[in-house]
Amino acid sequence: MKTRQTNAVACTLWAIVLCIGCSRQEKINWQTEKASRNSMSEMVSATGTVEPVTQVEVGTQVSGIVDKIYVDYNSVVKKGQLIAEMDKVTLQAELQSQEAQLANAKTEYDYQQKNYTRSKVLFEKQLISTKPPPTPTRKRKARMKKRRRTSSRSDVTWGMRSSPAR
């Protein structure tokens, strides 16, 4: 209760001081100047952390040596823009190797298919044993599909974007 009275007295005294101070008529002096161009030499310095609005992680579908870089750190890029080029020599050698393996798998598959067809005809004519002819194995088909997939993966743009360049 005593603090309430003390606060009330302090507020009343403060209001009186403000009224007395405001009642004095002091003349305010204004200084004007004609507008002109001038240089300002004031500097503002601040400390803090700059945070990006959006941050994106960039990666590639293939690994290798980067040959050329077309953008700088913190550069603004657009979707589909070429930002770097991979070393073509290593990737072309890998592509040729994958294409050779695919051609080899296709040849093996064709050979086994023809062998199956020939054995089937001979079996139907009862010119070979009663054991059924061997079918082209699923393993060979799967191997050929796998090589076809890896070959198509190697056939990418030498830069880091998704559209194929030929």
Side-chain angles (χ1 to χ4, degrees):
M1 182 155 173
K2 207 172 195 183
T3 56
R4 282 188 191 175
Q5 287 177 345
T6 308
N7 286 342
V9 171
C11 286
T12 308
L13 287 176
W14 184 249
I16 294 171
V17 170
L18 282 175
C19 289
I20 293 172
C22 293
S23 66
R24 282 196 261 157
Q25 294 286 330
E26 288 187 27
K27 185 172 182 179
I28 300 173
N29 293 325
W30 295 95
Q31 185 178 5
T32 60
E33 272 194 47
K34 186 177 180 181
S36 64
R37 286 187 181 240
N38 224 344
S39 64
M40 296 181 76
S41 62
E42 293 201 26
M43 180 184 284
V44 176
S45 67
T47 59
T49 305
V50 178
E51 296 289 332
V53 176
T54 50
Q55 186 168 347
V56 180
E57 294 293 326
V58 177
T60 63
Q61 293 178 347
V62 293
S63 61
I65 300 169
V66 175
D67 193 26
K68 294 178 185 172
I69 299 176
Y70 296 109
V71 292
D72 196 13
Y73 186 75
N74 283 338
S75 296
V76 177
V77 294
K78 295 180 182 163
K79 184 176 182 179
Q81 179 181 346
L82 183 65
I83 59 174
E85 258 184 54
M86 303 294 285
D87 182 27
K88 295 175 188 166
V89 175
T90 309
L91 293 173
Q92 284 175 335
E94 184 180 337
L95 176 63
Q96 288 173 346
S97 172
Q98 294 294 328
E99 286 173 343
Q101 286 181 5
L102 176 62
N104 188 17
K106 283 181 182 178
T107 305
E108 176 69 21
Y109 178 75
D110 290 343
Y111 169 75
Q112 291 298 332
Q113 194 69 33
K114 288 177 184 176
N115 196 18
Y116 170 75
T117 306
R118 184 179 68 76
S119 296
K120 185 177 177 185
V121 169
L122 292 174
F123 178 76
E124 288 170 356
K125 292 181 180 179
Q126 295 181 347
L127 296 174
I128 57 174
S129 73
T130 57
K131 172 174 103 170
T135 60
T137 62
R138 289 184 197 166
K139 199 177 213 179
R140 286 192 181 95
K141 285 183 180 180
R143 197 178 321 142
M144 190 169 82
K145 283 182 182 178
K146 180 181 176 188
R147 289 206 174 114
R148 190 175 291 140
R149 274 195 314 269
T150 56
S151 177
S152 66
R153 246 188 265 139
S154 298
D155 190 18
V156 294
T157 301
W158 306 121
M160 291 183 192
R161 62 178 162 189
S162 60
S163 59
R166 290 184 182 216

